[in-house]
Amino acid sequence: MPLETIHKTTGKQSVAPNLWDYEEVRAGFTWDAARGELDGLPGGGLNIAHEAVDRHLIQGGGERLAVRWLGKDGTVRDFRYRDLAELTNRFANVLRGLGVEKGGRVFSLLGRIPELYIVALGTLKIGGVFSPLFSAFGPEPVRARMEIGDARVLVTTETFYRRKVASWRSELPGLRHVLLVNDPEMPLIEGTSDFTDAMAAASPEFDIVPTGAEDMALLHFTSGTTGRPKGAVHVHEAVVAHHITGKYALDLHAGDVFWCTADPGWVTGTSYGIVAPLTNGVTMIVDEADFDAERWYRILQDQGVTVWYTAPTAIRMLMKVGAEIAHKYDLSAVRFMASVGEPLNPEAVIWSQQTFGRTFHDNWWQTETGGIMIANYASMDIRPGSMGRPLPGVEAAVVERVAGGGVKPLDRPMATGELALKSGWPSMFRGYLHEDERYAKCFAGGWYLTGDLAMRDADGYFWFVGRTDDVIKSSGHLIGPFEVESALMEHPAVAEAGVIGKPDPMAGEIVKAFVALKPGHEPGEALRKELLGHARRRLGPAVAPKEIDFRTNLPRTRSGKIMRRLLKARELGLPEGDLSTLESDES
Ligand code: ATP
Ligand code: MG
């Protein structure tokens, strides 16, 4: 892996980056002190929605723009912090009118429309538990998640209700209320009520129900990359980590225009697409539309986005369409760019430096961790291919499981082991819903075991190797798919690569790669040979793929992750497993 360091250049910037000193801040950091940066509820207790919204009104920030919503059709809607406070109060009153009490589960099945954000924060105000579902899920994944999550209320649209809910609604008697965000002129469907009418009739005044730090607030389902999605439980105390990580890992300041491109149906879109930007008092951009390179560059330019948080899958698509398109736009307002969700190939970091004059900063976390745990910060030099260093307040290690259920940290630099985090950060999940045993298995000796393999270098930078499930054992070598994929991506013809281990009588497993090409390149024997040769030169014969197949696309989850388990199951003719989060299949 390349270990060279990229030293930062500075460009035109609207807000100065916070060049905090990593060692100094870490040394002086305590979560108790971090809690002190938030207010707590006026009568005692902690509530995410208070910190995200109402607090700003008390501090005189009510007029500031909280959300700028960009509709697919070009409509723009602005919400000040004051507007958000009023609308979320109304929704909390709507829920009260429906008899929802503390702990009641409220699900949304909505596109990225303003109502989604109002439902999220209004639910938290009444002490309810909010669970966002991807609007693109089919009927069965929607039903399964709502059943696991004991849904009491669902907010959706008429179209989604007809297509994805109506057929099974009677099987979930616990789902008492369905609110439809509709055109008010439309006749109502039986058994549902109208969101807009209910909001109009509700009072704009509401006192947040007292919630404690440990009260359940959010229920997030994992991406389902490695198997059936798990329901991770998060509590109000998570807001402490959302706030602090927004500040340190994403460099959020009041005055920033922040765009997190993730959908709230995935944890990134909630922790950093709702909570962290609002607690930090920024203006957040919400784009209703799906990925489109030109649209994205136009948003960055026209909205003057200063901090941009996206994912490797989108970055790879931007690379695929080419830098020329980026150069048509003035992106000089962008100060900080970050990426999460999958390993960020060094090639993508280098491309971003060449194309934008600044680099993407990779950071690592999971649905379970609730917030960013390891990151490349604005204030530090980054190493392309590394996920960075642990946040203040986070202790990370590379460990080995030992007999008897304990773990042993591996202190030798660049030793490969399981990435583990010392338990106790505020946004740590408090359970997998209805899966206590599975939850308990994630912990040993005071550590949370992440299921990812990593290495740590002598300077404390962490390097992702692969998921424990994806790692390949070939002739005694432990091979992480990421390293092989990154090497393939260095070849100018390659847009994307997914690598699996294929059983082999001699080697145990051999490395097999599935490759999608950039426009203008044709699959064929000559290119296959060239790629095999390129990989062998870069990686050596022990690690390089022995087989390469070409694909137009790789199978991907809705949160944009390559589904290696599906490539593998198909290669081996095995059952495909849970496909509820599959977004785009291979072709
Ligand atoms: P499931 O647990 O259902 O299989 P998932 O693990 O993909 O799905 P998420 O919680 O959305 O669900 O994703 C977290 C995982 O994504 C991490 O454990 C890691 O494997 C991967 N990941 C996230 N960020 C990074 C990163 N910066 N570098 C490498 N891998 C990352
Ligand atoms: Mg996972």
Side-chain angles (χ1 to χ4, degrees), residues 213-503:
E214 286 301 316
D215 285 334
M216 186 170 165
L218 298 163
L219 174 64
H220 278 298
F221 291 88
T222 60
S223 292
T225 315
T226 54
R228 188 167 55 81
K230 300 149 271 189
V233 171
H234 288 283
V235 298
H236 281 276
E237 199 195 17
V239 68
V240 179
H242 296 150
H243 180 73
I244 288 292
T245 54
K247 182 169 136 176
Y248 287 120
L250 298 179
D251 196 37
L252 296 180
H253 301 55
D256 268 321
V257 178
F258 172 63
W259 184 24
C260 168
T261 62
D263 187 283
W266 178 44
V267 70
T268 303
T270 302
S271 297
Y272 300 98
I274 307 180
V275 184
L278 296 177
T279 63
N280 281 287
V282 312
T283 296
M284 63 181 218
I285 302 293
V286 174
D287 182 28
E288 187 192 15
D290 291 330
F291 175 84
D292 174 85
E294 294 250 8
R295 182 180 171 97
W296 277 31
Y297 288 134
R298 204 172 313 116
I299 290 172
L300 291 168
Q301 169 187 279
D302 294 353
Q303 302 305 328
V305 172
T306 56
V307 180
W308 178 29
Y309 193 23
T310 189
T313 180
I315 298 168
R316 287 193 297 260
M317 286 195 272
L318 293 175
M319 291 167 74
K320 205 168 172 178
V321 299
E324 303 73 45
I325 297 187
H327 292 146
K328 293 197 319 206
Y329 297 87
D330 174 7
L331 307 180
S332 57
V334 180
R335 180 185 79 245
F336 188 73
M337 315 193 304
S339 164
V340 70
E342 275 194 302
L344 184 64
N345 313 84
E347 200 54 28
V349 178
I350 292 158
W351 179 84
S352 64
Q353 177 70 40
Q354 287 163 352
T355 306
F356 305 113
R358 54 192 87 256
T359 64
F360 280 107
H361 294 70
D362 188 19
N363 57 57
W364 176 95
W365 59 291
Q366 307 176 307
T367 309
E368 290 86 343
T369 70
I372 302 169
M373 297 283 109
I374 296 178
N376 291 283
Y377 309 101
S379 55
M380 79 188 204
D381 293 329
I382 68 174
R383 294 180 179 177
S386 163
M387 346 192 251
R389 300 164 86 187
L391 274 197
V394 172
E395 193 183 334
V398 171
V399 306
E400 180 175 69
R401 300 194 190 221
V402 291
V407 298
K408 188 174 98 201
L410 299 173
D411 294 325
R412 190 167 47 83
M414 296 317 254
T416 297
E418 189 164 355
L419 178 61
L421 303 164
K422 200 34 101 38
S423 298
W425 69 95
S427 61
M428 186 174 90
F429 70 139
R430 301 300 199 266
Y432 285 130
L433 205 62
H434 311 310
E435 295 190 271
D436 294 347
E437 209 172 303
R438 193 170 192 179
Y439 180 67
K441 276 201 188 130
C442 298
F443 297 90
W447 294 93
Y448 162 64
L449 298 156
T450 65
D452 284 345
L453 295 179
M455 304 180 289
R456 181 172 53 189
D457 68 24
D459 301 316
Y461 285 69
F462 283 76
W463 300 78
F464 183 78
V465 173
R467 294 163 181 269
T468 49
D469 290 13
D470 288 340
V471 98
I472 301 160
K473 291 185 196 82
S474 186
S475 307
H477 297 276
L478 210 59
I479 301 167
F482 174 49
E483 188 182 6
V484 181
E485 289 161 7
S486 290
L488 287 167
M489 280 196 57
E490 287 168 11
H491 190 280
V494 176
E496 276 197 299
V499 165
I500 62 161
K502 180 177 170 183

Side-chain angles (χ1 to χ4, degrees), residues 550-569:
F550 293 106
R551 294 284 186 272
T552 313
N553 290 305
L554 298 179
R556 203 188 298 284
T557 66
R558 295 194 180 284
S559 49
K561 298 165 199 269
I562 298 170
M563 263 193 184
R564 293 180 191 80
R565 70 166 157 105
L566 190 56
L567 289 169
K568 187 162 180 171

Side-chain angles (χ1 to χ4, degrees), residues 109-111 113 154-167 178-190 192-196:
L109 179 66
L110 296 168
I113 58 175
L154 170 68
V155 184
T156 185
T157 64
E158 181 186 341
T159 313
F160 291 153
Y161 183 78
R162 286 190 197 280
R163 289 194 195 146
K164 307 176 188 223
V165 180
S167 62
V178 175
L179 292 163
L180 299 184
V181 180
N182 274 336
D183 177 349
E185 306 299 310
M186 297 284 271
L188 259 188
I189 303 175
E190 205 190 315
T192 70
S193 41
D194 185 81
F195 178 88
T196 314

Side-chain angles (χ1 to χ4, degrees), residues 5-25:
T5 297
I6 289 189
H7 296 277
K8 300 286 174 53
T9 52
T10 44
K12 184 173 134 193
Q13 288 167 352
S14 51
V15 182
N18 177 8
L19 299 178
W20 54 286
D21 183 84
Y22 182 79
E23 302 297 346
E24 193 183 301
V25 170

